[in-house]
Amino acid sequence: MTTSPITAQHTASAIRISGGRPLTGRVTVQGSKNIALHLYAATLLADEPVTLHRTPNIIDTQVCARILRRIGTNVEEGDERFAVTPADVVEPVVDLKLGRRVRTTAVLGAAVLARADRTTFPFPGGDAFCPRYIDRHLAAMSAAGAEVSIEGDHIRALFGTGGPRPFRTDVDTRYGPSLGATVSALLLAARISGTSLITHPSIEPEVLDTAQFLASGGVDITLDHEGLHVTGTDRIGGGAFTVAGDRIEAATMVMATAATGGNVHLDGVTPAEFPDGLVSVMADAGIALHATPNGTYTMPCHELTAVHAATGPHPGLPTDIQPQLTALLTQARGVSRIGERVYPRRDTHVAELRRFGAILSSTEHSISVHGPARLHGAEAQAEDIRAVTALVIAALIAPEPSTIRGMYHLRRGYGRLLTNLATLGADISTDQEA
């Protein structure tokens, strides 16, 4: 094994962190991973070239670029830019191997169906912290007139002789509106003549930014008490579109610095871009966000306080920040309880955080955190993006060296997190295969 600076993180198999020091400084937030992934699918609908700016330099971006190329589009990606030239001939298949590496496979499948009237795509991959269903995606395809069949490890959908039709579909689930299914339905409706209705839609930024992108290309989209009304068109324009700042990365940086007793200036994201539920929970814990001309500033927090909170749909507390929040609250005085209301269960990080000395317990729908706990160095690993990030925060708190594996998952979602942490003063190195 050889040890290298954190600039080599894209080939690292593990990172080593010596924590116990306050992190302070100024960094720039990347473009939103989750928004970008849905926009990559939406570019398939455009009849003119599209350039997305501020796209994150992450593995999922590279995988999506390869998927789009195999569908037939010309893609140039790099330097926070993702340029797409429409395909002359659409290959109606989301590559079965590549598709299993990202969560947005069903959304990509819907985009291909909208463009080519048929599609084949695998079940989604990506993070595997709990079952994540795609029944609402398939229901939208069926409502639009497609014949949908599940064949082993993949799905086929085909518009028959009647072709696609305006439709009405409900994207609600027992855990709240499905973000992904809302986008799938949007993409299907965008190229269908007539007006479709999506009831109980998600209003997460991923949905609203995809809707804005489609509207800029000529799709008529309105939101009212009934839901999202989408009047499609047979030609969608292109142009340039800038991805919003990554609110999850920004919150991760805030929590990492607060957990170590430091503070941070974040360029590229304003306090208004943080969901209300997240701002409220951080305020209850003792962390305040202040607007600056270029972004957000946090003051050092001298004592963190336990909180009771639950994840929920936007503008609630994002589920994608729950693992990092769990790590932060190991340093809060009192007993914190975090309910999980977006997924059936999300606690794969709990056992790994215990390796650092965290005092945690979990049930199917909630996590209890006793603090403040004195964390110590540990070896740990995780199998999803946010769980790995929670372990990074724990390692930054612990004064002894720690080793964290599972960095492939970190690289799927964070393009420069380790570099930013080093800029703030973290002692980080990466191990590479010799």
Side-chain angles (χ1 to χ4, degrees):
M1 300 290 288
T2 57
T3 301
S4 304
I6 47 77
T7 51
Q9 64 176 299
H10 283 279
T11 56
S13 59
I15 62 170
R16 304 194 188 280
I17 299 176
S18 293
R21 62 180 70 184
L23 302 185
T24 301
R26 187 170 202 148
V27 293
T28 299
V29 175
Q30 71 179 17
S32 170
K33 163 195 174 286
N34 290 338
I35 291 174
L37 293 183
H38 290 89
L39 290 176
Y40 299 154
T43 65
L44 287 169
L45 273 63
D47 296 286
E48 301 171 3
V50 173
T51 300
L52 302 177
H53 295 286
R54 200 187 180 187
T55 52
N57 180 25
I58 57 177
I59 287 176
D60 279 13
T61 291
Q62 298 161 10
V63 171
C64 285
R66 292 174 64 188
I67 289 172
L68 265 61
R69 291 186 188 111
R70 295 193 181 191
I71 290 169
T73 59
N74 179 56
V75 180
E76 298 178 8
E77 57 95 11
D79 297 324
E80 299 188 342
R81 177 177 172 272
F82 194 96
V84 177
T85 302
D88 293 327
V89 178
V90 175
E91 175 65 29
V93 177
V94 176
D95 186 272
L96 301 183
K97 184 175 180 180
L98 291 172
R100 282 190 283 269
R101 295 178 61 184
V102 292
R103 283 300 315 164
T104 51
T105 305
V107 179
L108 288 160
V112 174
L113 177 61
R115 191 59 193 261
D117 287 347
R118 57 194 174 104
T119 184
T120 300
F121 60 95
F123 284 95
D127 295 334
F129 51 80
C130 75
R132 300 168 78 174
Y133 303 106
I134 61 170
D135 58 302
R136 294 295 87 203
H137 298 258
L138 304 186
M141 295 177 190
S142 296
E147 299 175 4
V148 179
S149 60
I150 298 174
E151 303 178 9
D153 62 352
H154 61 274
I155 296 109
R156 294 186 189 276
L158 169 70
F159 286 130
T161 54
R165 60 176 181 250
F167 62 92
R168 176 180 179 134
T169 192
D170 189 345
V171 294
D172 204 12
T173 76
R174 61 181 294 193
Y175 301 104
S178 169
L179 185 166
T182 304
V183 176
S184 286
L186 265 175
L187 299 184
L188 289 167
R191 291 193 70 94
I192 295 176
S193 178
T195 300
S196 300
L197 175 62
I198 307 167
T199 61
H200 301 107
S202 165
I203 57 168
E204 299 279 350
E206 289 77 4
V207 172
L208 300 182
D209 280 30
T210 302
Q212 183 181 348
F213 170 82
L214 294 171
S216 70
V219 182
D220 185 8
I221 303 173
T222 59
L223 174 65
D224 62 18
H225 67 281
E226 287 187 303
L228 278 170
H229 301 261
V230 185
T231 301
T233 175
D234 60 2
R235 183 170 184 82
I236 295 177
F241 195 87
T242 300
V243 178
D246 195 314
R247 64 196 186 280
I248 304 302
E249 186 199 35
T252 299
M253 299 301 297
V254 168
M255 292 182 182
T257 54
T260 62
N263 62 287
V264 66
H265 278 89
L266 296 172
D267 289 331
V269 64
T270 66
E273 294 176 73
F274 288 81
D276 293 344
L278 175 58
V279 173
S280 176
V281 168
M282 289 197 292
D284 289 346
I287 305 168
L289 304 178
H290 305 277
T292 71
N294 297 307
T296 300
Y297 172 70
T298 64
M299 297 289 289
C301 180
H302 299 293
E303 182 177 70
L304 293 165
T305 303
V307 301
H308 287 190
T311 65
H314 188 79
L317 176 66
T319 182
D320 276 356
I321 204 64
Q322 184 257 95
Q324 301 93 303
L325 177 62
T326 301
L328 169 74
L329 292 174
T330 65
Q331 303 306 294
R333 185 167 301 280
V335 179
S336 297
R337 290 186 175 83
I338 313 169
E340 177 56 56
R341 297 179 182 171
V342 175
Y343 292 115
R345 188 167 192 141
R346 190 168 194 167
D347 63 354
T348 58
H349 52 291
V350 168
E352 296 301 302
L353 286 173
R354 289 196 189 109
R355 294 178 182 269
F356 293 87
I359 306 170
L360 307 170
S361 61
S362 65
T363 63
E364 184 176 355
H365 298 298
S366 68
I367 297 171
S368 296
V369 188
H370 295 254
R374 186 194 181 283
L375 302 190
H376 52 74
E379 293 193 9
Q381 72 176 56
E383 299 301 325
D384 72 77
I385 297 170
R386 313 307 175 181
V388 174
T389 316
L391 304 186
V392 169
I393 292 175
L396 292 167
I397 297 167
E400 300 85 9
S402 297
T403 300
I404 302 172
R405 302 189 183 277
M407 299 315 297
Y408 165 80
H409 296 283
L410 187 85
R411 298 193 302 272
R412 284 187 48 234
Y414 296 94
R416 51 175 180 249
L417 179 67
L418 303 185
T419 302
N420 281 344
L421 291 172
T423 298
L424 298 177
D427 182 356
I428 300 179
S429 62
T430 62
D431 283 347
Q432 296 174 278
E433 298 296 336

